[in-house]
Amino acid sequence: MKRIIECVPNFSEGRDMSVIKQITDEIESVDGVRLLDVDPGEATNRTVVTFVGEPEAVVEAAFRSVRKAGELIDMRQHHGAHPRMGATDVLPLIPVAGITLEECAQMARDLAKRIADELQIPCYCYEAAAYTEERRNLAVCREGEYEALADKLSTPGKQPDFGARPLDEHVARTGCTAVGARDFLIAVNFNLNTTSTRRANAIAFDVREKGRPVREGNSITGKPMKDADGNTIMQPGTLKCTKAIGWFIDEYKIAQVSMNITNINVTPLHKAFDEVCRCAQNRGIRVTGTEIVGLIPKRVLIEAGRYFLEKQNRSTGIPEQDIILIAVKSLGLEDLKPFNPREKVIEYMLEDADKKPLLADLSVRDFAQETSRESPAPGGGTIAAYMGALGAALGTMVANLSSHKAGWDDRCREFAVWADKGQMLMSELLHLVDEDTEAFNRIMTAFGMPKKTEEEKALRSRAIQDATLYAAQVPLRTMKASFAAFEICRAMAETGNPNSVSDAGVGALAARAAVLGAGLNVKINASSLKDRAVADALVNEAEQLMTKADAEEKAILEVVESVIKA
């Protein structure tokens, strides 16, 4: 899985667009970063910027943006409605895919240290990156705002985590920055079939973590009750890590429950949706749909789609786009306007921005025609990977048919597990379709390197050997993934829908062809390796898999034949 993080820095300039543009230009100067949103506010004199990408690239872009903001924004002249203490006021790193919050927290600490060391801008670490529990709260780090920095910078216990020193002209200009890490926050509105803000608020209070005040006499109009310290006693809501209010949207002429989900690991979107539906129904109201504000990680929709499929006792081992379609329909994401996942899911936006032509995206006809041309790639290794994908796909198909077979409802989860495995294998092998061709292209690139001097010859020779080793390793990965398809085909031949047993058999045939075909590619590429110990190890592993594949195919076909005869 590709590692992706989001960064949402807040800069203390919301009026001069030329300054904002210079800062965002620094962000976009880093390869692998996608600028998603720039939201300036005149009254707050503050701009919120959102960008995403692979962790190292995002951290570099964040550093450059802080540097540029420190050069352009003079905090001594800054005035605005929003709390602030620096030219770059806050700088959170947010895990999106393939990375944990803890990893982001360490990156934030390292980034804070680099900013303090190289840019001489003092930094506080907050939320998950905080070194003390109290500094998890941004308000504690920013207490007193910019005007209190002179005192805080020289007061033990209040000093920044990095770059602490008495106020000087440089710090007076740049202020301090809070660098942190937090979970992804989802802003979502649940549409109601009512125009009553009061009813929408009641539902919001039912579910939000803070809940509602406990009132005397359990009355709506009763006086809020206080504890011994004079604090209002609250009745907590049912959803952890959520904030919510009710409001009326004039554009749509409906009331909504507007919610921020601050930790999607604790309260995922589908859980929030179901709970708002339940509480709304208790008050005679229906949720008609959902409106997602901003962008979301792909897993939010995947988890929702799988959740609703399981509630329907349906297999979850279906293509990703089908799972997302179930999520869109189940959550009512098209209630108010069309919903396009390609425009709302962070991973899809990154894919589309960096989109390269892929063999796996070609039609069946175009793929065959491309293979038939005089160019040596795509070749046998690519075709082997595709055959492996087809073998896994056939086993998955039988699993899905079995999970949906009339009278077999109690076995749905059994077959769904197999289908999930099949989808993962199919995805891996479709990736290897293009990876095998890329491996061949690396060899061609290495052979095209200059060879005039002894140094160039040595570099070229090393590059050829590295590329050749990779070209032998890729088909070995294809062999292992294709071999794993046998387990699914065997299980489906033995326990799946007997009407589809021939499909499981064809899947086994395709898997064997994939293993043997990829094995030939391992051998031919290994033969060009100078390191014979490495070459022999690759060939030996390939030959063992080829022998096992012959035995697996034979055993599965025997099962298939016996079921057909029965």
Side-chain angles (χ1 to χ4, degrees):
M1 177 185 290
K2 193 172 184 179
R3 300 165 76 233
I4 301 173
I5 67 172
E6 180 184 62
C7 185
V8 189
N10 288 211
F11 301 105
S12 295
E13 176 57 68
R15 299 164 186 167
D16 189 336
M17 295 308 297
S18 66
V19 170
I20 297 168
K21 181 66 165 56
Q22 290 181 69
I23 294 171
T24 57
D25 282 348
E26 287 292 310
I27 293 169
E28 292 189 289
S29 71
V30 179
D31 290 339
V33 167
R34 177 81 185 274
L35 182 65
L36 297 179
D37 189 50
V38 180
D39 185 13
E42 184 171 346
T44 58
N45 199 13
R46 184 182 186 87
T47 296
V48 180
V49 175
T50 304
F51 58 96
V52 297
E54 295 185 0
E56 294 75 16
V58 167
V59 168
E60 178 60 28
F63 176 81
R64 294 186 191 182
S65 70
V66 172
R67 180 177 61 195
K68 182 58 68 173
E71 295 170 358
L72 299 177
I73 299 171
D74 188 342
M75 289 303 296
R76 293 171 295 189
Q77 311 301 323
H78 182 272
H79 300 283
H82 198 286
R84 80 284 180 266
M85 66 174 178
T88 303
D89 189 49
V90 294
L91 190 71
L93 302 180
I94 303 156
V96 174
I99 191 167
T100 65
L101 178 61
E102 290 71 25
E103 290 174 299
C104 284
Q106 187 55 53
M107 289 178 185
R109 296 184 189 111
D110 294 342
L111 177 58
K113 185 177 187 304
R114 182 186 176 193
I115 290 169
D117 290 346
E118 297 183 28
L119 303 180
Q120 287 74 55
I121 298 175
C123 291
Y124 290 86
C125 292
Y126 76 105
E127 289 220 11
Y131 286 96
T132 62
E133 185 61 31
E134 65 175 4
R135 288 194 178 180
R136 294 181 69 89
N137 187 343
L138 175 61
V140 171
C141 299
R142 198 163 54 191
E143 183 181 7
E145 300 182 40
Y146 173 79
E147 289 72 17
L149 288 183
D151 174 62
K152 291 169 66 176
L153 285 167
S154 56
T155 302
K158 293 185 177 182
Q159 293 172 315
D161 294 292
F162 297 101
R165 65 183 186 276
L167 185 72
D168 55 29
E169 184 174 352
H170 183 79
V171 179
R173 179 184 178 86
T174 65
C176 292
T177 296
V179 185
R182 62 170 173 80
D183 280 303
F184 198 94
L185 181 149
I186 292 182
V188 60
N189 301 322
F190 298 105
N191 312 324
L192 307 175
N193 66 335
T194 183
T195 58
S196 172
T197 301
R198 178 182 161 194
R199 299 290 187 275
N201 255 321
I203 298 167
F205 293 171
D206 288 341
V207 299
R208 68 181 187 181
E209 181 172 18
K210 182 180 179 181
R212 56 163 49 84
V214 176
R215 298 181 181 275
E216 294 178 355
N218 198 27
S219 168
I220 295 176
T221 59
K223 185 178 180 181
M225 298 177 64
K226 306 284 186 178
D227 62 18
D229 297 322
N231 299 313
T232 299
I233 300 173
M234 303 295 292
Q235 174 63 48
T238 54
L239 293 176
K240 297 289 187 183
C241 303
T242 63
K243 302 174 182 178
I245 60 169
W247 60 24
F248 177 79
I249 303 299
D250 189 64
E251 178 184 359
Y252 304 125
K253 305 300 180 186
I254 60 168
Q256 292 179 323
V257 172
S258 180
M259 178 181 290
N260 281 347
I261 304 174
T262 59
N263 189 334
I264 56 177
N265 298 309
V266 175
T267 298
L269 176 59
H270 55 268
K271 179 181 177 181
F273 174 81
D274 266 6
E275 184 61 13
V276 172
C277 287
R278 185 187 71 82
C279 292
Q281 185 175 10
N282 289 344
R283 295 177 178 276
I285 294 170
R286 190 169 68 86
V287 175
T288 62
T290 306
E291 180 186 29
I292 292 175
V293 181
L295 304 176
I296 54 171
K298 181 169 63 177
R299 73 180 179 96
V300 171
L301 293 183
I302 294 293
E303 289 172 359
R306 293 176 66 89
Y307 168 77
F308 289 112
L309 282 167
E310 288 177 4
K311 288 186 72 173
Q312 298 169 19
N313 201 29
R314 296 285 304 281
S315 172
T316 53
I318 58 177
E320 179 177 284
Q321 61 266 33
D322 295 359
I323 295 176
I324 287 179
L325 177 63
I326 292 295
V328 171
K329 297 300 182 183
S330 300
L331 294 168
L333 291 172
E334 296 181 316
D335 181 33
L336 300 179
K337 53 191 172 185
F339 180 87
N340 183 356
R342 308 302 307 187
E343 297 174 353
K344 299 293 287 187
V345 174
I346 292 171
E347 291 92 327
Y348 289 159
M349 293 190 71
L350 288 174
E351 285 175 13
D352 293 344
D354 302 326
K355 191 68 173 177
K356 297 183 295 184
L358 297 176
L359 290 168
D361 290 338
L362 295 176
S363 69
V364 174
R365 181 183 300 277
D366 289 342
F367 189 97
Q369 290 177 344
E370 181 64 26
T371 303
S372 72
R373 294 192 169 100
E374 66 271 14
S375 59
T382 296
I383 299 304
Y386 190 57
M387 286 191 293
L390 292 177
L394 279 167
T396 302
M397 181 192 79
V398 179
N400 280 322
L401 287 169
S402 302
S403 75
H404 204 50
K405 179 176 169 59
W408 285 23
D409 287 349
D410 59 334
R411 300 183 66 189
C412 179
R413 284 307 308 152
E414 170 194 343
F415 292 114
V417 170
W418 287 112
D420 282 332
K421 289 182 179 179
Q423 288 290 343
M424 291 179 63
L425 281 178
M426 189 175 68
S427 295
E428 180 180 357
L429 285 158
L430 286 174
H431 170 73
L432 287 166
V433 165
D434 284 279
E435 194 72 9
D436 191 88
T437 297
E438 172 61 23
F440 175 81
N441 291 336
R442 289 191 188 187
I443 293 178
M444 293 297 98
T445 299
F447 272 103
M449 292 175 64
K451 50 181 178 179
K452 293 181 179 179
T453 66
E454 290 303 315
E455 183 180 1
E456 287 179 345
K457 289 178 182 179
L459 289 173
R460 178 177 177 271
S461 177
R462 176 61 183 272
I464 290 172
Q465 287 298 300
D466 289 345
T468 302
L469 175 60
Y470 184 70
Q473 291 170 332
V474 169
L476 187 60
R477 287 163 56 194
T478 296
M479 294 182 76
K480 293 176 180 178
S482 299
F483 188 84
F486 283 124
E487 181 186 20
I488 300 170
C489 293
R490 178 191 283 270
M492 292 307 99
E494 293 174 345
T495 67
N497 188 336
N499 295 324
S500 301
V501 70
S502 61
D503 298 305
V506 175
L509 290 168
R512 175 183 175 273
V515 173
L516 269 60
L520 294 177
N521 278 265
V522 173
K523 290 181 178 182
I524 195 169
N525 288 311
S527 68
S528 299
L529 289 173
K530 294 180 180 178
D531 189 333
R532 297 317 304 165
V534 171
D536 292 343
L538 288 167
V539 171
N540 181 58
E541 188 173 3
E543 287 181 339
Q544 289 184 37
L545 283 169
M546 293 166 83
T547 301
K548 291 179 181 179
D550 281 331
E552 281 294 318
E553 180 209 47
K554 182 179 179 181
I556 292 170
L557 290 181
E558 287 177 356
V559 174
V560 170
E561 291 287 357
S562 66
V563 173
I564 291 174
K565 290 176 182 178

